[in-house]
Every structure is written in C-alpha cells, then in structure tokens.
Amino acid sequence: MPELPEVETVRLGLRAVMEGARIEALELRRPDLRFPFPEGFAARLEGRRIEGLGRRAKYLLADLDDGARVIMHLGMSGSFRIESASGAATPGVFHHPRDGRSLHDHVLFHLSGGQTVVYNDPRRFGFMDLAPGPGDAASPHLALLGIEPVGNAFDGAALLERLAGRRNPLKAALLDQRLVAGLGNIYVAEALHRSGLSPMRQAGSVTAAEAARLAEAIRTVLGEAIAAGGSSLRDHRQTNGELGYFQHAFRVYDREGEPCPSPGCHGIIERSVQAGRSTFWCASCQI
DNA sequence: AGGATACCCTGACCGC
DNA sequence: TGCGGTCAGGGTATCC
C-alpha cells in the first residue's frame, strides 16, 4: 500500500481532472471493497460537483458542493487511473478481455469533463466512505489520526512530545497512526536509517536532539518520495499509469544482506520482524 | 499498555 | 506445468 507519498502522488494526479468537475455517474461494479459502500453511495454522489481534493495521512478526501466529504483509502493494492473519452488502454494494466476492463476495476467516476477516474484494487483492502462534512471529527476514520508529518506543525518538539513515555519499540510507535499519521513500513525504515536510530529503541528513550533529527529525516524522505512520484513495488502507479521511482532510492528497505550505504559504515543491512512486519536496518550505524 | 496473532484478499514468486 | 508455502506498501479485532 501506498503510504503518504504514494497517496499524495495520486492526489496530485487526480486533482487536475476531479477538482471542479461534476460526477455525472458513479459506477459501482461490486457492492463492497473492504467494507460495503455506504447506503445510497452512488445516488448521493451523482450530480455533485467536486470542490476540492485533499489528503489526510493516507486518506484521499473529496469535498462535494453539498458539504459532504468522500473518504477514500487505497489499502495495500489500490490505485486510481484516469481514462480519457478516447478510452485508450493504460500501459501495464491488465484489461479484462470481455469488456475491455480490468477484473479489479471496482469504482468508476464518470466526470463532466469527459474523463473517467477508475479505482482498481486487487486485494480490496481499500474502502470508500462518506462523511457529513469536513473536519476530522466528522469521520471515525479520521478522528483519531495523529499529526501530519509534512505539515507545518511537525518538528522535533512535536515528535518528542508524542514519543514521551512510550515503552514500545520506536518502529511500532512511528507506525501508530494515532501518533504520526501517514507513515508505513517503508518510510519508517528509511527515516530511522537516515537519522541513525534503531527501530528496536524504546520510543520514550529518544532525546530531544534525536527527535529533531528523526523529524527532519521523516520530512525529507517523504518530500523526496513525493517528488519521485512515490515508490512502485507491485501496485502503485501514478494516475497517468507511470511508475513511481523512489524505490531506487531506498537505503535499507528490501535490501537485506547489502552493505549499509551510510558513508564510512561497514555494516550489512539486516531484516528482522517487529509486530509481524519486516524491519530493515543497519545495526552498526542505527543505535 | 502493548505485544503477538489472525484476518480481510489476490497475486507474485520460489522450491519441488 | 502445477502445487503448496510464503510474502506483500494497511488497518482492525481479539486474545494474552
């Protein structure tokens, strides 16, 4: 799944065609994704104009002209692509031979501009929901989210405050969406390596200086990843069908056994498992 | 409190 | 070419 940079890449691509457009028809090709679609979902969207397309953590937010907000999560394998009226096939996307449409195209937004925005999700861990209005409190999905790591308020002090007193491993704390919202397995690994901190460290043991370094590393790695169009491992694509390329800039993620890329470090990248997820790190320079 | 585990689901890959 | 096992960018529930 997409983590924050992949979702932001998708948002930037979709914004150009969705903002200001009217949803002429919403085509649901099955009754559910991870959860059933909300009652009357299609009817409540049809005819509405999309006034803005935002993002909170890993959620895409479409604000409608009647005040409602569509909340979309890509799960592990969700992607959006834009089809123009010509209906040209997207490179690299499997199209079902029967109707020319991929088996996993589940939701189609038919827009007034002539384009169709297609949501594809093989694993269906993604979902869509409707909130009555803007503001995190209006949705149970957003209400408990922590600080936005690319927002202005995120710095060493803000991070230190959230880690203080926590006894769980630093990696687990950073993956907790209630503390910092938007990080996932890849970017936690990358940010910890860049800041020289061990994923095994007790979260509450991080000092003010270390928190400042970590916050800066998080901000930098997310920014670089967004600029690269995200990371494409299996499923993520930009909305024009192109791959992201930040995966080539990984320093530790999926690099078990390779030499640590830190200057002057002679360590080897290790893999271990924390909370059921792979952790990649260098025991020599991450302390 | 927080850790470990199972689960939701499909597809890719590996070894046999 | 097939088959079983394992793994995957997320989030949630449930059990200790």
Side-chain angles (χ1 to χ4, degrees):
Chain A
M1 159 320 140
E3 302 182 35
L4 188 154
E6 290 73 40
V7 177
E8 181 65 8
T9 297
V10 168
R11 185 184 78 86
L12 295 172
L14 292 181
R15 193 170 57 164
V17 297
M18 290 189 95
E19 279 188 354
R22 192 170 299 278
I23 301 169
E24 297 195 330
L26 185 73
E27 187 180 342
L28 305 177
R29 305 185 81 236
R30 51 176 301 127
D32 56 13
L33 293 170
R34 178 173 180 181
F35 309 117
F37 291 108
E39 193 71 26
F41 189 53
R44 291 167 72 181
L45 268 61
E46 284 171 354
R48 301 270 64 81
R49 204 178 78 95
I50 299 166
E51 297 196 323
L53 188 65
R55 181 192 56 74
R56 175 76 168 100
K58 304 173 193 174
Y59 294 84
L60 277 173
L61 312 170
D63 289 314
L64 307 180
D65 62 359
D66 64 355
R69 167 176 271 186
V70 183
I71 295 169
M72 297 172 278
H73 196 287
L74 302 173
M76 289 279 269
S77 60
S79 65
F80 281 94
R81 69 177 194 278
I82 299 164
E83 291 184 352
S84 53
S86 66
T90 308
V93 174
F94 172 72
H95 288 263
H96 196 280
R98 265 204 74 188
D99 57 1
R101 183 150 295 296
S102 161
L103 180 61
H104 301 298
D105 286 352
H106 303 310
V107 182
L108 282 70
F109 294 79
H110 297 282
L111 301 176
S112 55
Q115 293 99 342
T116 300
V117 168
V118 181
Y119 179 69
N120 181 284
D121 188 355
R123 294 177 74 180
R124 301 201 305 276
F125 287 176
F127 59 87
M128 295 190 188
D129 198 9
L130 207 47
D136 287 358
S139 166
H141 298 113
L142 310 181
L144 298 179
L145 289 177
I147 191 168
E148 187 69 32
V150 294
N152 291 334
F154 184 71
D155 59 14
L159 181 55
L160 184 67
E161 187 184 318
R162 284 159 180 79
L163 297 178
R166 305 217 148 245
R167 310 177 67 86
N168 59 344
L170 183 53
K171 184 202 181 185
L174 293 173
L175 282 177
D176 187 339
Q177 302 296 300
R178 297 169 300 182
L179 300 182
V180 180
L183 299 176
N185 211 31
I186 292 178
Y187 297 104
V188 164
E190 295 297 313
L192 285 171
H193 181 263
R194 286 176 181 227
S195 51
L197 296 174
S198 167
M200 318 298 173
R201 274 276 288 274
Q202 188 172 288
S205 75
V206 169
T207 66
E210 289 169 337
R213 236 161 58 212
L214 179 54
E216 183 58 30
I218 289 170
R219 186 182 282 282
T220 303
V221 75
L222 294 179
E224 290 178 9
I226 291 168
S231 302
S232 291
L233 299 188
R234 279 163 289 277
D235 301 299
H236 169 67
R237 283 176 182 270
Q238 305 187 52
T239 51
N240 59 9
E242 290 177 14
L243 301 173
Y245 51 90
F246 191 72
Q247 65 277 12
H248 303 301
F250 290 168
R251 299 185 189 179
V252 290
Y253 184 83
D254 207 18
R255 297 204 178 282
E256 181 184 14
E258 296 183 28
C260 175
S262 295
C265 179
H266 301 293
I268 298 292
I269 306 304
E270 298 176 31
R271 174 184 179 272
S272 49
V273 175
Q274 292 179 289
R277 323 270 313 261
S278 290
T279 291
F280 297 93
W281 63 301
C282 171
S284 297
C285 67
Q286 291 181 253
I287 53 179

